[in-house]
Amino acid sequence: MSKSEPVTRRTILKGIVAGAGVAAANAFMPRCFAASAPTKVKLGLMLPYTGTYAALGKNIDDALRLAISERGGKLGGREVEYVVVDDESEPAKGAENANKLVSRDKVDFLIGTVHSGVAMAMVKVATDNDTILVIPNAGAAAATGAACAPNIFRTSFTNWQPGFAMGKVMAGRGLKRAVSVSWDYAAGHESMGGFKEGFATGGGSVEKELALAFPQVEFQAILTEIAATKPELVYTFFAGAGAVKFVKDYAAAGLKNSAPLVGAGFLTDGTLQAQGDAAQGIETTLHYADGLNVPKDKTFRAAFKKATNRDADVYAVQGYDAGQLLAVGLDAVKGDTSARKEMIAAMEKAEIDSPRGRFTLSKAHNPVQDMYLRKVAGLENKFVSVAVKALADPARGCKLV
Ligand code: BEZ
């Protein structure tokens, strides 16, 4: 019996029945139980630790480990082993990296990632191998849409959700003419699409959708075009280092007063220190905010600060909740990963006590959650109001819905 054979009730029983003595039992039982301690649960973390999204990946990783360390370092009674891969936010390497984790390292779960393009490569590998995947950030629609599957879960959002919420807020203010700006990949287009849909509910129209290749940050041509178009507002999806640069360049171009900059909350989450004055007053929509007055948020922020000496942000929250969701699944089956049906059923039914506020998962396995309107003041994305209550992604094309 190989070391990597899954621990199942059947294999445990087999060992007990077959063996009169300890030595005989050991010959039949998985090695993990022979010394009376079960093998570790292997988590394959595929996240960006370098590049534009490095800070996002680091916060997800640290907060996931925090959630597990709060449970004594165990899930379902089993110790946890981490196998870590830097995906560099590079879609071309996504399948190879995920395959290594599944086939070479034999991880029990895949956790990742930040970039939608890389996440979709992980979805394919997870689907092909029937490995449970928990996505702690990437908002690619297809992961819980056309490519949804019983083994694919997400603890973050779809790109549509914050975009749609901001569109509704701006439409509610009677604004009619917008320009959208983003990177030219799934996350950017889906975020701009969500905004367009929400904005249209009040008769607003997006006159131009401008995009540049990920992860470029040469914004001059785009800023010139915005100035020439003279929209009433500019909606954006940028995150990480790109968000820092865009917000600074936008302010430096003198556009902040003529065309207010709004966005999906990634524009100003985890970035405010670096953005400084340029970010003040920017409004965004997201499933997390400062000043939520959620008891779990207070304890989480204190614990994250203590563990990392950094302030928590939305990425940390999503990583923490990935750990919480895994705990629900593994605790339900007492660590027996072969009891997949029960484990998946428990995860589907989970109500996560998140720092963002409690949430449940849709049939497509994406959070149904409040979208908050926030406004930057000092170093905070201050809660303003609930922009859309319990917003579910439409999960277009998902056969589980
Ligand atoms: C995405 O690629 O889906 C994504 C990246 C960073 C922040 C939010 C979404």
Side-chain angles (χ1 to χ4, degrees):
M1 206 169 274
S2 83
K3 193 180 177 196
S4 59
E5 181 168 339
V7 182
T8 67
R9 289 187 193 119
R10 201 166 353 116
T11 50
I12 296 164
L13 269 176
K14 206 162 82 185
I16 292 166
V17 171
V22 173
N26 280 350
F28 285 87
M29 289 171 75
R31 271 189 40 203
C32 46
F33 271 86
S36 85
T39 49
K40 295 180 176 177
V41 180
K42 263 194 183 184
L43 303 187
L45 306 192
M46 201 170 132
L47 291 164
Y49 296 94
T50 54
T52 303
Y53 289 159
L56 290 59
K58 180 92 184 98
N59 272 8
I60 290 169
D61 179 318
D62 283 337
L64 171 84
R65 290 177 200 247
L66 173 64
I68 294 169
S69 74
E70 285 175 353
R71 289 163 173 80
K74 292 185 179 177
L75 292 172
R78 292 169 67 185
E79 302 270 354
V80 173
E81 178 181 343
Y82 301 92
V83 186
V84 177
V85 169
D86 178 7
D87 68 37
E88 305 164 49
S89 294
E90 178 49 84
K93 296 183 187 167
E96 191 188 334
N97 281 330
N99 268 318
K100 269 191 212 151
L101 287 171
V102 171
S103 304
R104 183 193 64 191
D105 301 318
K106 310 226 174 305
V107 299
D108 296 296
F109 297 87
L110 275 174
I111 319 293
T113 184
V114 169
H115 185 289
S116 276
V118 183
M120 286 316 296
M122 295 182 80
V123 167
K124 167 112 179 58
V125 171
T127 305
D128 290 349
N129 292 279
D130 203 19
T131 304
I132 293 181
L133 166 66
V134 180
I135 303 172
N137 184 71
T144 53
C148 76
N151 57 315
I152 311 293
F153 288 84
R154 176 151 50 200
T155 57
S156 50
F157 58 91
T158 63
N159 294 310
W160 179 91
Q161 285 177 306
F164 180 78
M166 182 50 89
K168 294 242 349 162
V169 171
M170 292 297 120
R173 289 186 190 166
L175 298 170
K176 300 285 182 219
R177 293 178 51 248
V179 165
S180 293
V181 188
S182 190
W183 276 311
D184 186 8
Y185 82 103
H189 291 293
E190 290 169 9
S191 183
M192 293 193 290
F195 174 78
K196 194 176 186 172
E197 209 176 313
F199 200 39
T201 61
S205 80
V206 177
E207 300 195 344
K208 281 182 184 158
E209 286 186 348
L210 307 171
L212 76 170
F214 176 86
Q216 283 180 22
V217 290
E218 293 313 319
F219 297 118
Q220 217 40 59
I222 278 176
L223 294 171
T224 304
E225 193 157 354
I226 291 170
T229 310
K230 296 190 173 53
E232 288 174 296
L233 74 136
V234 171
Y235 173 79
T236 50
F237 166 86
F238 287 111
V244 172
K245 174 95 171 17
F246 187 79
V247 165
K248 286 177 139 183
D249 286 3
Y250 198 84
L255 287 166
K256 244 183 122 179
N257 291 332
S258 54
L261 181 62
V262 300
F266 315 107
L267 187 67
T268 54
D269 229 75
T271 54
L272 290 175
Q273 191 94 48
Q275 287 163 333
D277 282 350
Q280 296 308 304
I282 291 180
E283 289 180 295
T284 58
T285 38
L286 202 63
H287 46 288
Y288 191 53
D290 291 301
L292 280 182
N293 206 13
V294 168
K296 183 75 177 180
D297 192 36
K298 295 203 170 78
T299 53
F300 164 70
R301 282 187 184 226
F304 187 80
K305 182 83 180 183
K306 190 165 172 221
T308 65
N309 210 19
R310 299 192 304 277
D311 289 319
D313 58 12
V314 69
Y315 310 105
V317 169
Q318 296 165 170
Y320 187 76
D321 290 342
Q324 298 212 82
L325 182 63
L326 288 170
V328 169
L330 277 154
D331 288 353
V333 295
K334 299 198 169 43
D336 178 359
T337 48
S338 73
R340 284 176 66 81
K341 268 198 164 172
E342 291 117 289
M343 189 162 59
I344 285 175
M347 290 168 79
E348 285 176 332
K349 282 198 291 273
E351 183 178 330
I352 301 292
D353 185 12
S354 169
R356 75 189 84 171
R358 298 183 89 87
F359 72 85
T360 54
L361 296 177
S362 67
K363 285 201 172 117
H365 300 175
N366 189 67
V368 178
Q369 53 195 342
D370 292 350
M371 286 288 138
Y372 306 118
L373 174 65
R374 312 111 48 90
K375 186 169 187 167
V376 176
L379 291 177
E380 295 197 330
N381 285 289
K382 281 251 185 241
F383 170 83
V384 175
S385 61
V386 176
V388 185
K389 185 101 195 123
L391 183 62
D393 179 80
R396 292 174 183 128
C398 173
K399 54 201 174 302
L400 300 174
V401 175

